[in-house]
Amino acid sequence: MSIWDNISLFGTSRGEAVGISVRNIPAGIRIDESMIMQMLERRKAKSIGTTARVEADEPILLSGIHKGVTTGETLCVIFKNVDAEQSEDTRNHIPRPGHADYTANIASGGFADLRGGGSYSGRLTLGLVYAGAVAKQYLLLRDIEVLAKLKSIGYVVDEDMDIAEPNIDDWLYCQMLDLPLLRDSSQLQARDLIEKAKFKGDSLSAGIECLIYNFPIGLGGNHFESIESILSQGIFAVPGVKAVQFGERPSAMVYGSKYNDPFYYTEDYAILTKTNHCGGILGGRSNGMPIYFLVDMKPTPSIGLRQQTVDISRKKDVEIEQRGRNDVCIGIRACPVIESIAALWAMFTLAGSTE
């Protein structure tokens, strides 16, 4: 059984509500609700490069937390859809390029609710962020930090973070920003690029980097149970993810003598490595260094430019121009989602190791 079998997402983008149910969250976690709301706030649409759809995103807790403490029962939370603009439902016979419309239509025999992306929409990540905020509070009790920020927007790339001895304050600082890039110049360049793409009716890709700091040594497994195998499954559940890279890209260094991370003893005889090219993972297990991975998000498929598609009902080629309220760069709001996936993986892995 995969740890991800504990999680179920439900609802659709333009339906009554979206939500999540999560089994096997450890009992006894005292929950700071303000931390949950801060995480949800980071996922909300901001003025720069994000959708004009405005939702309160107020969680309605059905079970799993009582008097501010997790009960061990299934955590179930829903979020009402209030600002659900109802556009003409043409997606079943005129699929939008880059969306799940065509494949969902085929899989459902033409009956899928594809308004706003339906169940394939990024709106369903709301529940993941709520559950991720709960998981982060479990991890903080064990001095484990899970942090994510933008690495890039389009061709604008932020400065490299030290992943062997990370400055946690820099990561925390980025979480307070509408554009979570560390360097001021990167923020300015990204804003300019976003404005240009928005003016043209186009969209932008993004890179998200994530750090799991102070995770215990030796957890994970080999082959199909490796950290990379299990964590990747959760990451690819996030709409728009196209690639994940653990540690630094080997082809950027070529030689093993440059890529290998030399071991050394600290003054108190702990074993660490001088570099962290492997991203804190050796043989599928944590090695005591920070776990680091980079996620590539595709450009938002909903764009204002005319695109070629087909009209299935008439069996002819047509053009489509989307005029909805769309993010210019979905990666901006995906940072807390990726962070939540990492936190949930870390919580389930750590809790399972102590059973």
Side-chain angles (χ1 to χ4, degrees):
M1 176 178 173
S2 167
I3 62 174
W4 303 116
D5 291 334
N6 289 309
I7 301 176
S8 295
L9 302 178
F10 54 88
T12 59
S13 176
R14 303 290 167 83
E16 288 296 316
V18 296
I20 189 170
S21 66
V22 188
R23 298 188 303 275
N24 294 321
I25 288 181
I29 308 170
R30 187 159 297 280
I31 298 300
D32 180 352
E33 188 176 345
S34 67
M35 182 176 173
I36 294 176
M37 298 311 294
Q38 288 170 9
M39 285 279 286
L40 293 172
E41 185 67 25
R42 287 171 57 203
R43 187 202 161 276
K44 275 189 177 180
K46 304 295 192 298
S47 59
I48 181 71
T50 55
T51 178
R53 179 177 178 178
V54 179
E55 293 280 4
D57 292 346
E58 290 288 343
I60 302 173
L61 178 65
L62 302 183
S63 64
I65 298 174
H66 180 61
K67 295 182 178 180
V69 181
T70 57
T71 63
E73 299 167 349
T74 297
L75 176 71
C76 189
V77 185
I78 64 171
F79 299 82
K80 292 285 189 180
N81 294 327
V82 178
D83 189 19
E85 180 186 67
Q86 301 297 331
S87 56
E88 183 184 356
D89 189 11
T90 61
R91 295 172 180 84
N92 290 73
H93 66 274
I94 303 178
R96 299 165 297 169
H99 284 270
D101 300 346
Y102 176 64
T103 51
N105 184 50
I106 296 299
S108 68
F111 295 107
D113 176 4
L114 298 175
R115 296 170 300 159
S119 64
Y120 299 86
S121 169
R123 180 138 181 84
L124 274 78
T125 62
L126 257 175
L128 288 172
V129 174
Y130 187 102
V134 171
K136 285 191 64 167
Q137 295 183 58
Y138 171 86
L139 297 170
L140 284 172
L141 293 172
R142 291 149 182 80
D143 296 322
I144 299 170
E145 288 271 14
V146 182
L147 303 159
K149 61 175 284 293
L150 284 173
K151 175 64 176 177
S152 62
I153 292 182
Y155 57 73
V156 177
V157 181
D158 203 15
E159 69 177 76
D160 289 338
M161 306 290 276
D162 186 340
I163 61 174
E165 297 182 16
N167 184 334
I168 298 301
D169 287 340
D170 283 347
W171 288 80
L172 291 171
Y173 166 72
C174 288
Q175 293 191 334
M176 298 186 294
L177 305 173
D178 286 353
L179 278 180
L181 295 158
L182 179 62
R183 192 166 53 197
D184 290 343
S185 59
S186 298
Q187 294 179 41
L188 290 172
Q189 292 171 29
R191 287 179 185 274
D192 181 62
L193 188 60
I194 288 169
E195 290 299 334
K196 289 177 178 176
K198 184 177 180 180
F199 179 77
K200 292 190 298 182
D202 217 333
S203 62
L204 294 164
S205 61
I208 298 172
E209 53 187 344
C210 187
L211 188 79
I212 306 175
Y213 182 73
N214 205 31
F215 195 71
I217 302 171
L219 297 184
N222 56 356
H223 307 305
F224 300 110
E225 301 301 319
S226 71
I227 290 175
E228 298 98 326
S229 299
I230 304 300
L231 186 47
S232 291
Q233 184 180 358
I235 293 168
F236 279 107
V238 178
V241 170
K242 298 305 293 183
V244 59
Q245 168 190 308
F246 291 90
E248 297 188 38
R249 185 164 55 90
S251 59
M253 298 183 188
V254 181
Y255 294 108
S257 57
K258 298 294 184 183
Y259 194 79
N260 288 344
D261 299 309
F263 290 104
Y264 74 98
Y265 276 111
T266 65
E267 291 182 357
D268 57 356
Y269 296 101
I271 298 175
L272 298 176
T273 59
K274 293 185 177 181
T275 54
N276 192 22
H277 303 311
C278 70
I281 305 168
L282 290 172
R285 296 182 181 274
S286 53
N287 71 351
M289 296 295 287
I291 295 173
Y292 172 88
F293 61 90
L294 180 67
V295 174
D296 287 337
M297 303 288 297
K298 73 178 183 180
T300 314
S302 297
I303 60 176
L305 301 174
R306 296 191 70 81
Q307 299 179 87
Q308 179 71 47
T309 185
V310 295
D311 185 327
I312 297 172
S313 63
R314 294 188 293 165
K315 291 184 171 58
K316 63 178 294 186
D317 294 339
V318 296
E319 287 189 337
I320 187 173
E321 184 176 350
Q322 299 173 62
R323 299 184 180 275
R325 302 170 297 176
N326 306 308
D327 294 83
V328 176
C329 178
I330 54 177
I332 298 172
R333 297 168 62 202
C335 286
V337 182
I338 297 300
E339 186 175 302
S340 295
I341 288 289
L344 287 163
W345 168 83
M347 179 190 69
F348 283 127
T349 300
L350 191 58
S353 72
T354 58
E355 288 182 351

